[in-house]
Amino acid sequence: MSQKSKVVIITGPGFQDHDIVYTYYRSIEQNYDVSIATKNGEAVIGKYGITVPMDKRSKPNISFDELHVSNFDLVILTGGHEAPDRVRQDQRVKDFVKAMAVEGKVVAGLCHGPWIMISADVLRDKLACAYVGLKDDMVNSGANVIEADVVVDKNIITCSYYAEVGKFMRETFAAVDRWKKGEVLAEPLVV
């Protein structure tokens, strides 16, 4: 039996509730080992009142100090304009996201989540899509931004809006499967 893939969802206060709820439960459904990381492992509340940890079966949140590349196959950076802006100011997160990208592991940003990718400098020269309010920042970071729902450029995945989270998660899981097999897309995939 193969070992479960491991994902960490990084967030903070004011997260977009839809992003966390969908990516968390969808990852569990995919049989991933799921962790949620917050600044000091504290519980945080989303924009619409959801709290993580979300249910009595949820593991406690982990601290940004526990973000080690060797422990994860995938990092998901979710949106809500408040949480990603707070999170991207933390050097531990920036270092972790950069190291994940350099190792070829999957770095996936949803809606405003790519703000963290910008601060970690992993979007330069990548094909990407952007939430309308994030497009200028992504272009200024050196990304080649196009109109699309989801873009996969090797191990970097962007999604323009949380309504497309289903497509985002399908492509994210497919990218982890490719990474585990040592495969890389020859050309970016636009969905």
Side-chain angles (χ1 to χ4, degrees), residues 9-25 34-39 41-47 49-55 58-62 78 83:
I9 300 168
I10 300 178
T11 195
F15 61 82
Q16 181 68 40
D17 303 50
H18 309 76
D19 293 10
I20 296 286
V21 170
Y22 191 92
T23 59
Y24 177 81
Y25 287 111
V34 185
S35 297
I36 295 179
T38 60
K39 186 172 185 173
E42 74 273 9
V44 293
I45 300 172
K47 184 176 176 181
I50 296 288
T51 301
V52 292
M54 279 187 280
D55 63 53
S58 298
K59 297 187 292 189
N61 294 343
I62 65 170
T78 57

Side-chain angles (χ1 to χ4, degrees), residues 23 36 60 89 93 112 138:
T23 59
I36 295 179
Q89 296 175 46
V93 172
H112 275 83
M138 290 178 73

Side-chain angles (χ1 to χ4, degrees), residues 112-154:
H112 275 83
W115 249 350
I116 303 163
M117 298 163 86
I118 290 167
S119 294
D121 194 28
V122 300
L123 289 176
R124 188 173 314 283
D125 300 324
K126 294 292 184 185
L127 190 65
C129 59
Y131 177 69
V132 65
L134 202 58
K135 184 176 180 181
D136 292 344
D137 294 341
M138 290 178 73
V139 168
N140 290 334
S141 77
N144 178 11
V145 179
I146 62 169
E147 291 294 321
D149 294 337
V150 177
V151 176
V152 182
D153 190 339
K154 296 187 175 42

Side-chain angles (χ1 to χ4, degrees), residues 160-174:
S160 60
Y161 189 56
Y162 65 76
E164 306 303 338
V165 71
K167 295 175 190 175
F168 170 75
M169 291 305 288
R170 280 191 298 276
E171 295 307 329
T172 297
F173 295 141

Side-chain angles (χ1 to χ4, degrees), residues 82-95:
E82 183 182 350
D85 194 34
R86 288 174 183 247
V87 168
R88 73 191 189 128
Q89 296 175 46
D90 195 295
Q91 193 62 47
R92 296 170 294 178
V93 172
K94 292 186 282 189
D95 291 345

